[in-house]
């Protein structure tokens, strides 16, 4: 009948498809003699055995003598007794070749995410700053060339820094960094001169600057490339990289002057001094970083050059004739140099302890000094000569590699 005829052909097609599928299933073919070999005529059994021996040859790189195939059996019962005696099939003894490979130099899995790596670093430590600025007597920078000079020395701080670093495809790097420092000690001097080159000093006060804070924020993006390990200077390094980067930074110092003491004329202590000066340095920068790793030890050196817009604003609380809270402001262009040195020791695959040191030197000027009198009713402009800011810090911290 047509229906039975069609059904026979469908069943035959299903059986043939199942045989060919079984011939290619690794689970069944991973053994030299499978239960699937007992099904069907002799030709089908032979083809299945040849296919599974080919699989062994491809997988384990062992040549197999197909003449030593198992003997012909005609039933399932006999198949259990006819075990192959062919010794050409060898199960690999070194099962470690089937496990993930490990990079011993970094003690990390070799197949760890190569497309994205994220690191978070937190540091804390000691920082010390010095800053000095001066103005002239007029807009030309004369009468005298230094009329007033403010100096902050030995500003000691406790600083906390957080850094994040993302590496894309092992060659592109994005970084962000933020720091906060609390000033707990420092001193200030305010001097006024009647003659050029700091002559004719007619006023000087020596004050404390043990309060205030600083902020530093920067972000950058760069491209890094590996250095050849056959270089003489890199013989001991497992990995070495150079990174070229560019970014933008913003830095602020919030300084407070208290505990006034008038040295010239010698009036001594005076009360209620609580003057403030805030400086801002912001602009783009370019940088170059070299980093290397040897087993669990790592190190880096990094240099940055900054182009900055400088803005300073002061509030002299004891001077009644000037405006408050903005008594005067400073505007200038400048530059900055930053040098970072650091190293680390890897505790685990994802945890590292670090030490880092930073040196900074910033300058700006000449520019404009504007003093605001009587609630900004009158504005006097003179030359802002120069501002110089020096800083160094030493910190300890830890780095987490999140993925």
């Amino acid at each position: 009948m047509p229906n039975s005829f069609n059904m026979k052909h469908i069943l035959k097609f299903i059986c043939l498809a199942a045989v060919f599928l079984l011939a290619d299933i690794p689970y069944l073919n991973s053994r030299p003699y499978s239960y699937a070999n007992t099904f069907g005529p002799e030709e089908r059994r032979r083809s299945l055995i040849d296919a599974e021996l080919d699989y062994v040859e491809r997988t384990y790189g062992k040549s197999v003598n197909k003449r030593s195939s198992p003997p012909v059996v005609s039933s399932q019962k006999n198949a259990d007794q006819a075990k192959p005696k062919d010794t050409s099939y060898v199960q690999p003894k070194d099962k470690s070749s089937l496990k993930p490979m490990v990079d011993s130099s970094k003690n990390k899995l070799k197949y760890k995410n190569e497309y994205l790596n994220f690191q978070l670093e937190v540091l804390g430590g000691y920082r010390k700053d010095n800053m000095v600025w001066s103005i002239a007597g007029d807009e030309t920078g004369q009468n005298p060339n230094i009329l007033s000079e403010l100096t902050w020395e030995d500003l000691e701080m406790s600083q906390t820094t957080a850094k994040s670093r993302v590496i894309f495809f092992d060659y592109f790097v994005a970084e962000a960094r933020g720091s906060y420092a609390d000033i707990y000690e420092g001193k200030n001097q305010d001097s006024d001169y009647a003659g050029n080159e700091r002559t004719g000093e007619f006023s000087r006060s020596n004050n404390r600057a043990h309060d205030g804070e600083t902020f530093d924020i920067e972000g950058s993006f760069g491209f890094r490339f590996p250095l050849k390990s056959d270089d003489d200077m890199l013989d001991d390094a497992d990995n070495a990289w150079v990174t070229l980067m560019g970014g933008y930074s913003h830095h602020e110092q919030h300084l407070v002057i208290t505990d006034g003491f008038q040295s010239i004329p010698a009036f001594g202590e005076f009360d209620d001094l609580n003057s403030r000066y805030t400086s801002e340095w912001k602009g783009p920068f370019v940088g170059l970083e070299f980093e290397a790793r040897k087993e669990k030890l790592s190190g880096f050196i990094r240099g940055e050059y900054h182009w900055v817009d400088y803005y300073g604003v002061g509030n002299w609380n004891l001077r009644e004739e000037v405006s408050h809270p903005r008594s005067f402001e400073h505007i200038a262009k400048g530059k900055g140099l930053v040098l970072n040195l650091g190293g680390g020791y890897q505790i685990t695959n994802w945890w590292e302890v670090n030490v880092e040191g930073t040196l900074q030197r910033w300058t700006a000027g000449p520019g404009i000094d504007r003093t605001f009198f009587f609630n900004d009713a009158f504005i006097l402009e003179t030359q802002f000569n120069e501002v110089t800011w020096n800083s160094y810090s030493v910190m300890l911290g830890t780095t987490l590699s999140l993925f």
Side-chain angles (χ1 to χ4, degrees):
M1 295 179 65
N3 291 338
S4 61
F5 176 78
N6 291 339
M7 185 61 65
K8 289 180 180 180
H9 282 75
I10 291 173
L11 292 175
K12 185 181 292 186
F13 177 77
I14 293 174
C15 292
L16 289 174
V19 168
F20 284 106
L21 288 174
L22 289 172
D24 198 40
I25 294 179
Y27 174 74
L28 293 176
N29 292 335
S30 61
R31 294 165 300 186
Y33 192 68
S34 152
Y35 292 117
N37 296 333
T38 62
F39 300 145
E42 173 63 20
E43 292 80 4
R44 185 180 302 164
R45 188 189 69 83
R46 283 289 183 181
S47 64
L48 292 178
I49 292 175
D50 290 343
E52 60 192 32
L53 292 177
D54 289 340
Y55 172 79
V56 171
E57 213 171 86
R58 292 194 309 270
T59 304
Y60 301 100
K62 302 289 185 179
S63 60
V64 180
N65 185 3
K66 295 183 180 180
R67 294 182 180 181
S68 60
S69 303
V72 177
V73 292
S74 58
S75 67
Q76 179 70 32
K77 179 177 179 180
N78 294 332
D80 293 334
Q81 299 175 353
K83 298 297 181 181
K85 298 180 181 180
D86 182 20
T87 59
S88 62
Y89 176 83
V90 180
Q91 185 73 17
K93 296 180 180 180
D94 185 10
K95 297 184 179 182
S96 62
S97 61
L98 304 179
K99 296 180 181 180
M101 297 182 67
V102 176
D103 186 351
S104 61
S105 64
K106 293 185 178 181
N107 197 27
K108 293 182 180 179
L109 290 179
K110 201 169 184 178
Y111 60 68
K112 188 177 179 179
N113 196 335
E114 296 180 359
Y115 303 105
L116 183 66
N117 179 264
F118 179 78
Q119 298 173 350
L120 178 64
E121 183 176 3
V122 179
L123 301 128
Y126 175 81
R127 171 173 163 177
K128 190 174 184 179
D129 286 17
N130 294 313
M131 191 168 75
V132 56
W133 57 258
S134 67
I135 62 173
D138 59 27
E139 293 179 341
T140 65
Q142 300 300 319
N143 300 315
N145 59 359
I146 298 178
L147 172 64
S148 182
E149 185 174 58
L150 274 290
T151 303
W152 284 265
E153 292 183 339
D154 301 331
L155 296 175
E156 299 184 66
M157 317 174 201
S158 55
Q159 178 169 272
T160 303
T161 298
K163 299 193 297 184
S164 63
R165 189 184 200 202
V166 182
I167 301 176
F168 305 90
F169 303 103
D170 220 20
Y171 288 96
F172 300 97
V173 182
E175 294 182 345
R177 177 185 182 122
S179 297
Y180 172 81
D182 179 67
I183 301 173
Y184 60 84
E185 191 57 74
K187 51 188 177 182
N188 164 265
Q189 178 174 304
D190 182 354
S191 295
D192 298 321
Y193 303 94
N196 290 332
E197 303 300 334
R198 300 181 180 86
T199 59
E201 185 177 10
F202 63 89
S203 177
R204 180 197 298 171
S205 64
N206 296 97
N207 320 296
R208 292 193 67 186
H210 62 287
D211 196 6
E213 56 195 359
T214 68
F215 302 90
D216 304 277
I217 300 174
E218 72 173 44
S220 64
F221 184 82
F223 175 78
R224 69 176 198 157
F225 54 91
L227 296 179
K228 295 182 179 179
S229 59
D230 55 359
D231 291 346
D232 293 338
M233 63 178 295
L234 301 175
D235 285 344
D236 295 331
D238 296 326
N239 291 303
W241 297 82
V242 169
T243 303
L244 302 174
M245 70 196 75
Y248 189 89
S249 69
H250 184 104
H251 311 266
E252 294 185 13
Q253 295 86 36
H254 297 252
L255 309 177
V256 181
I257 305 173
T258 60
D259 301 336
F261 186 91
Q262 190 70 32
S263 303
I264 300 176
F267 294 152
E269 296 182 2
F270 56 94
D271 299 329
D272 301 325
L273 178 62
N274 190 25
S275 294
R276 297 172 182 268
Y277 185 79
T278 299
S279 61
E280 296 180 2
W281 312 71
K282 57 185 179 181
F285 71 91
V286 293
L288 178 67
E289 179 176 276
F290 169 77
E291 57 182 319
R293 177 175 290 276
K294 175 65 175 177
E295 296 181 349
K296 293 187 176 183
L297 296 176
S298 63
F300 76 93
I301 180 171
R302 170 172 175 157
E304 298 174 0
Y305 183 88
H306 294 247
W307 295 269
V308 296
D309 293 319
Y310 178 81
Y311 179 77
V313 58
N315 180 16
W316 279 186
N317 72 305
L318 296 182
R319 292 184 58 178
E320 297 180 356
E321 76 278 11
V322 297
S323 301
H324 301 286
R326 185 181 61 168
S327 302
F328 60 90
E329 66 181 10
H330 298 148
I331 302 172
K333 297 285 187 179
K335 61 184 179 181
L337 297 173
V338 180
L339 178 66
N340 291 93
L341 296 167
Y345 182 81
Q346 189 178 40
I347 304 299
T348 68
N349 290 345
W350 51 270
W351 179 32
E352 185 173 280
V353 293
N354 309 95
V355 60
E356 180 178 319
T358 303
L359 295 173
Q360 303 183 70
R361 178 172 175 83
W362 303 74
T363 60
I368 300 173
D369 168 85
R370 292 194 184 102
T371 303
F372 303 91
F373 294 91
F374 308 112
N375 295 322
D376 299 349
F378 175 69
I379 301 175
L380 176 64
E381 287 193 1
T382 63
Q383 177 176 287
F384 177 67
N385 291 329
E386 186 182 44
V387 57
T388 301
W389 163 39
N390 297 319
S391 175
Y392 75 85
S393 63
V394 179
M395 294 182 292
L396 297 174
T398 184
T399 299
L400 301 178
S401 297
L402 301 184
F403 55 83

